[in-house]
Amino acid sequence: MNGMASDHNTSSREEYLPHYLQKEDPFASKLSREADIIAGFYLTVIGILSTLGNGYVIFMSSKRKKKLRPAEIMTVNLAVCDLGISVVGKPFSIISFFSHRWVFGWMGCRWYGWAGFFFGCGSLITMTAVSLDRYLKICHLSYGTWLKRHHAFISLAIIWAYATFWATVPFAGVGNYAPEPFGTSCTLDWWLAQASVAGQAFILSILFFCLLFPTAVIVFSYVKIILKVKSSTKEVAHYDTRIQNSNVLEMKLTKVAMLICAGFLIAWIPYAVVSVWSAFGQPDSVPIQFSVVPTLLAKSAAMYNPIIYQVIDCKFACCRSGGLKTLQKKNSSKKSR
């Protein structure tokens, strides 16, 4: 019986044809023209806001590039990844939505899929590095004394190498990039898992190293930070003003990082769930109209971060000005004495 079941599973995998190999045109839109136009306008707005916001973050950071701290260097790298997604990827999908079909062929599809996966993976691994930095900075105070700028640049090299490796692995024959079921966008070929055991191994490796493991590190880091902050709030209250101000600024940086990670995961987890179901669930069981919503939500992730920077930056300015005023009062009182 087991032999018959395994033979049935093998034959079903061999008989399975993903949507892009079936008779119909894989690049023709499966949505209505009105839905494509709405999606095109949505992505246009997201693309403009993301480009302007992340471009502004990079421009302002470049004006004080020699004064950037390691955590801020990582934040700039995140803005570079988000800008890359907006500039390199979004024009392809916007044009295709307005054209009611993918107009760039298989080469354009693979390039678009690679770029989206490359910058998306770079964003998540950057946030993983930021969460570890925050965890070590808050929970292991001695870490901050030896961390230098060149350590941040070494981390950036590792991040870009990691993203390049996993985004390029599909071109080595173990995976591929393919059109989405709705036809006007491209992504990692999740449907390989339906066709062979090798495809399943590839998809599981991608899920672990490019989603589950980084997310677990992020969650672990911020849970430990929250527990540490709760236990040390009373201790900080006994320190002098300068230490209190420094602690406030560190916590503001940590809140920025937590909000960025939360926004990224909220935007991408629905898409990840749909992708995993496409890979390991019943073949072609995800409705086409349903699959487009998580895709559009994931494409909006690059827009959130500049908004978070600006909201928290106002509080940063208040903290800095408050700290400066306190120090000025102390200095003036000393002089008068």
Side-chain angles (χ1 to χ4, degrees), residues 249-328:
L249 292 176
E250 289 297 338
M251 289 311 303
K252 292 297 181 183
L253 280 173
T254 304
K255 288 179 181 179
V256 169
M258 291 177 69
L259 288 172
I260 289 171
C261 292
F264 184 91
L265 293 176
I266 289 170
W268 278 97
I269 283 178
Y271 179 77
V273 170
V274 171
S275 299
V276 171
W277 183 259
S278 299
F280 299 102
Q282 290 295 322
D284 304 322
S285 59
V286 179
I288 291 177
Q289 291 77 10
F290 179 76
S291 66
V292 71
V293 176
T295 302
L296 295 177
L297 179 62
K299 292 179 186 299
S300 68
M303 180 187 68
Y304 305 145
N305 297 343
I307 298 173
I308 295 171
Y309 301 149
Q310 294 304 312
V311 170
I312 303 296
D313 194 51
C314 296
K315 297 181 180 179
F316 268 163
C318 293
C319 290
R320 291 192 184 104
S321 62
L324 285 173
K325 288 178 181 178
T326 304
L327 290 174
Q328 287 173 356

Side-chain angles (χ1 to χ4, degrees), residues 28 42 98 120 124 165-166 181 189 191 200 202 219 252 268 311:
Y42 168 81
F98 282 126
L124 182 57
F165 174 78
W166 285 108
D189 192 347
W191 303 272
Q200 291 180 357
F202 166 70
V219 172
K252 292 297 181 183
W268 278 97
V311 170

Side-chain angles (χ1 to χ4, degrees), residues 67-277:
K67 298 181 180 179
L68 293 176
R69 295 187 292 178
E72 293 172 317
I73 293 173
M74 291 292 182
T75 302
V76 173
N77 189 65
L78 186 60
V80 171
C81 291
D82 291 340
L83 184 65
I85 292 175
S86 302
V87 173
V88 176
K90 281 190 174 59
F92 285 80
S93 54
I94 291 171
I95 292 171
S96 296
F97 273 114
F98 282 126
S99 300
H100 198 49
R101 64 174 289 109
W102 180 263
V103 296
F104 302 100
W106 275 102
M107 287 296 294
C109 180
R110 292 187 177 100
W111 160 251
Y112 176 84
W114 180 91
F117 188 53
F118 172 72
F119 287 114
C121 183
S123 295
L124 182 57
I125 303 304
T126 300
M127 285 185 284
T128 305
V130 170
S131 69
L132 278 175
D133 172 76
R134 294 292 86 205
Y135 163 69
L136 293 171
K137 185 77 174 179
I138 301 298
C139 301
H140 301 277
L141 298 179
S142 59
Y143 160 81
T145 60
W146 62 266
L147 181 68
K148 306 299 179 184
R149 281 167 57 94
H150 69 270
H151 293 116
F153 291 115
I154 293 173
S155 299
L156 293 185
I158 295 173
I159 289 168
W160 287 110
Y162 193 92
T164 301
F165 174 78
W166 285 108
T168 311
V169 160
F171 294 132
V174 296
N176 202 356
Y177 294 99
E180 300 265 17
F182 51 86
T184 48
S185 181
C186 293
T187 184
L188 192 71
D189 192 347
W190 301 101
W191 303 272
L192 285 173
Q194 297 281 358
S196 67
V197 175
Q200 291 180 357
F202 166 70
I203 295 299
L204 287 172
S205 299
I206 290 290
L207 286 172
F208 179 78
F209 289 104
C210 299
L211 179 63
L212 298 179
F213 178 68
T215 303
V217 173
I218 290 170
V219 172
F220 167 81
S221 299
Y222 290 124
V223 168
K224 296 293 286 185
I225 287 171
I226 291 170
L227 295 176
K228 179 67 175 180
V229 169
K230 284 186 176 180
S231 64
S232 61
T233 302
K234 294 181 180 179
E235 297 175 9
V236 175
H238 298 291
Y239 296 157
D240 63 32
T241 306
R242 285 173 293 180
I243 296 177
Q244 288 181 10
N245 289 333
S246 176
N247 182 72
V248 168
L249 292 176
E250 289 297 338
M251 289 311 303
K252 292 297 181 183
L253 280 173
T254 304
K255 288 179 181 179
V256 169
M258 291 177 69
L259 288 172
I260 289 171
C261 292
F264 184 91
L265 293 176
I266 289 170
W268 278 97
I269 283 178
Y271 179 77
V273 170
V274 171
S275 299
V276 171
W277 183 259

